[in-house]
Amino acid sequence: MKIIHTSDWHLGHQLHGYNRDYEHQAFLDWLADELEQQQADALLVAGDIFDSANPPASAWRMLYRFLARLSKTLPKLDVVMIGGNHDSPSKLDAPHELLKAFDLHMVGGIHRFADGTLDVERMLVPLTNKEKQTVAYVLAVPFLRSADLRTDNLDDSDDRLIKGVEVLYSEMTQAARTLMNPEQAMIGMGHAYMASGKLSEMSERRVLGGNQHALPASIFADDMSYVALGHLHLAQKVAKKDHVRYSGSPIPLSMSERNYNHQIIAVEFDGNNVKAIEEISIPRCVDMLKVPTKPAPLDEVLAALKALPDDELPREQQPFLEVHVLLDKPQALLREKVLQALEDKSVRLAKIAPHYSQREQQHGLQHRRLSEVSPQQVFALSWNKKFDGEPTEAMTEAFETLLTHVEEQEEER
């Protein structure tokens, strides 16, 4: 059996106001071709299918066109998709029964019965090979919100959120073991922040009450053959375990991710043993430029911008551009001067980042746009100005908890 692991598509995403549909469609077309070439038996998508809880209709059309193509060209392919923290559980669950009829399993959120017990059957998805033999079971656990967990009976000495996740995965694992025979593989899925994971700047939301609740790799049982994770956009192993991985996002979702090697992961099984793991790089169809590579005075920056190639490209194929300028003081009409230097250039100006050699040290984030800083940075700066010091660990955790609560409420609207 061979599976393809991907995640964090963020369909409907915009970068500094620019639509990303062209890049997403190019990725989905490439992925469909790769699934055929690899002769894959299953596709696992580990959350954040969409960029927001209310994605535009164009994003839904893109997803359904992709799934329709797979059902025609690869009718034996199993597809398992789980919701991430950007996704709406109810919206992903709505077409569940229809998609299931085509071996397309979309699990937006967890479900419990009236007595509070977990509906494990809905999240246990069998995978079949080309002979239609069940060769594996997937624990399709979507992003877990605090309300999904049962923490009432847990010891106060435990971190209740982390323990709640451990209990849920334990229930799922036990249910899978009752169905499996020794030759079948158990594959875990999740959308979470794992301990030791490397976050990218400005593009990943906190999950499960903030990153102080990073989950240990021990929540995944030793008899799981592979764990397909989503949330972090940088492809990476977890806790140095080769079989526990983030696939990363297929395209850069912020300018800080421009140097990532975006990839999908092909995993080949022999029974319940992983035979091979291959990282397959995703071709990038739209470039991201940083000019200059290090902050420079304005005159040098404008000269570098004027020296950019004059290639004529369709708007959706033009590279995104980030400009870094070294200034002694705020510069009037800075954006207008940059745009004038870029006249007739086939680039899309995404960001102008001014750097102040002295003022930045004195005034912190004063000269940055609000969109360029994180809520934590704003909180820390405000605290420093009011109390002349860094916020305590307890206050930082309280802020993270409040911020996550606000974000969850926004997603539910």
Side-chain angles (χ1 to χ4, degrees):
M1 178 186 66
K2 180 182 283 189
I3 67 168
I4 299 296
H5 166 203
T6 178
S7 72
D8 295 272
W9 293 356
H10 288 265
L11 302 180
H13 179 258
Q14 291 191 349
L15 181 65
H16 297 282
Y18 294 110
N19 189 290
R20 311 293 299 279
D21 285 357
Y22 174 80
E23 296 161 88
H24 275 127
Q25 190 60 61
F27 161 68
L28 292 177
D29 291 342
W30 173 86
L31 178 59
D33 291 338
E34 195 67 27
L35 288 165
E36 292 183 48
Q37 182 179 334
Q38 293 285 335
Q39 289 297 295
D41 297 294
L43 172 67
L44 308 186
V45 186
D48 280 356
I49 300 165
F50 297 110
D51 190 59
S52 70
N54 294 296
S58 60
W60 280 104
R61 285 196 299 270
M62 194 179 298
L63 174 64
Y64 286 146
R65 279 199 306 265
F66 172 73
L67 295 178
R69 174 178 171 178
L70 295 187
S71 68
K72 291 179 181 178
T73 60
L74 295 167
K76 295 183 179 180
L77 181 77
D78 291 320
V79 178
V80 184
M81 314 177 86
I82 60 171
N85 57 301
H86 281 248
D87 297 312
S88 163
S90 59
K91 286 183 173 64
L92 291 192
D93 282 336
H96 172 79
E97 294 302 325
L98 174 62
L99 296 178
K100 186 178 177 181
F102 297 92
D103 286 331
L104 306 173
H105 302 266
M106 190 178 290
V107 182
I110 71 163
H111 294 258
R112 294 184 181 273
F113 298 111
D115 61 357
T117 57
L118 189 65
D119 183 0
V120 294
E121 183 179 351
R122 193 169 185 277
M123 294 185 287
L124 280 178
V125 182
L127 299 185
T128 57
N129 59 16
K130 293 173 181 61
E131 289 73 38
K132 282 297 179 181
Q133 300 167 329
T134 299
V135 290
Y137 281 89
V138 175
L139 280 63
V141 180
F143 170 65
L144 298 172
R145 292 166 171 81
S146 303
D148 295 328
L149 308 175
R150 293 294 178 264
T151 60
D152 297 339
N153 299 322
L154 299 179
D155 193 314
D156 289 338
S157 62
D158 294 321
D159 185 309
R160 287 176 173 266
L161 291 177
I162 293 177
K163 193 65 178 178
V165 174
E166 290 179 348
V167 169
L168 190 144
Y169 269 99
S170 178
E171 288 183 55
M172 292 294 301
T173 302
Q174 292 296 335
R177 287 171 181 157
T178 62
L179 297 175
M180 296 170 53
N181 65 49
E183 296 300 316
Q184 294 172 333
M186 187 193 305
I187 301 173
M189 288 186 77
H191 189 92
Y193 176 60
M194 306 299 297
S196 80
K198 297 178 183 177
L199 283 164
S200 69
E201 182 185 0
M202 297 298 293
S203 64
E204 288 153 347
R205 297 183 190 172
R206 295 137 306 281
V207 297
L208 199 63
N211 290 335
Q212 69 270 26
H213 292 284
L215 300 173
S218 59
I219 66 171
F220 305 119
D222 292 338
D223 53 343
M224 284 191 187
S225 302
Y226 183 80
V227 180
L229 294 172
H231 178 56
L232 300 191
H233 301 165
L234 175 64
Q236 57 193 281
K237 301 175 186 177
V238 173
K240 299 181 180 179
K241 295 180 181 290
D242 201 46
H243 71 291
V244 183
R245 292 182 178 237
Y246 287 100
S247 63
S249 61
I251 65 172
L253 295 165
S254 72
M255 296 300 290
S256 64
E257 298 176 10
R258 63 182 169 273
N259 294 322
Y260 285 8
N261 178 24
H262 296 273
Q263 60 188 237
I264 60 173
I265 302 173
V267 187
E268 193 171 350
F269 296 83
D270 182 7
N272 61 7
N273 296 314
V274 173
K275 184 178 178 181
I277 297 178
E278 181 184 4
E279 300 167 356
I280 304 173
S281 296
I282 301 168
R284 187 174 297 183
C285 62
V286 174
D287 202 0
M288 287 187 162
L289 306 177
K290 180 180 178 181
V291 178
T293 54
K294 292 183 179 179
L298 181 58
D299 290 344
E300 294 181 24
V301 171
L302 296 178
L305 295 177
K306 292 176 181 178
L308 289 172
D310 295 324
D311 302 334
E312 290 189 12
L313 294 171
R315 187 63 167 168
E316 68 272 11
Q317 297 180 32
Q318 293 177 358
F320 296 105
L321 174 65
E322 183 178 71
V323 178
H324 288 258
V325 188
L326 184 62
L327 300 171
D328 292 327
K329 59 182 180 180
Q331 176 71 48
L333 302 177
L334 175 60
R335 184 175 181 84
E336 286 74 10
K337 292 177 181 179
V338 169
L339 288 173
Q340 185 177 8
L342 292 173
E343 192 173 357
D344 299 326
K345 302 294 181 183
S346 287
V347 295
R348 286 177 283 180
L349 179 61
K351 179 180 178 183
I352 300 175
H355 298 260
Y356 299 86
S357 53
Q358 297 298 325
R359 287 176 175 267
E360 187 170 51
Q361 296 178 14
Q362 296 172 1
H363 300 289
L365 308 177
Q366 181 176 335
H367 300 292
R368 296 189 187 180
R369 294 171 182 266
L370 186 60
S371 62
E372 297 172 356
V373 296
S374 67
Q376 291 91 336
Q377 289 174 309
V378 176
F379 171 67
L381 177 63
S382 301
W383 183 280
N384 183 276
K385 283 186 173 182
K386 188 169 184 177
F387 300 107
D388 192 24
E390 297 296 322
T392 64
E393 183 177 346
M395 290 304 300
T396 300
E397 289 189 5
F399 177 77
E400 286 279 5
T401 301
L402 179 62
L403 183 60
T404 302
H405 178 67
V406 170
E407 288 181 341
E408 288 182 355
Q409 284 187 324
E410 290 179 349
E411 291 171 4
E412 291 171 357
R413 290 175 183 172

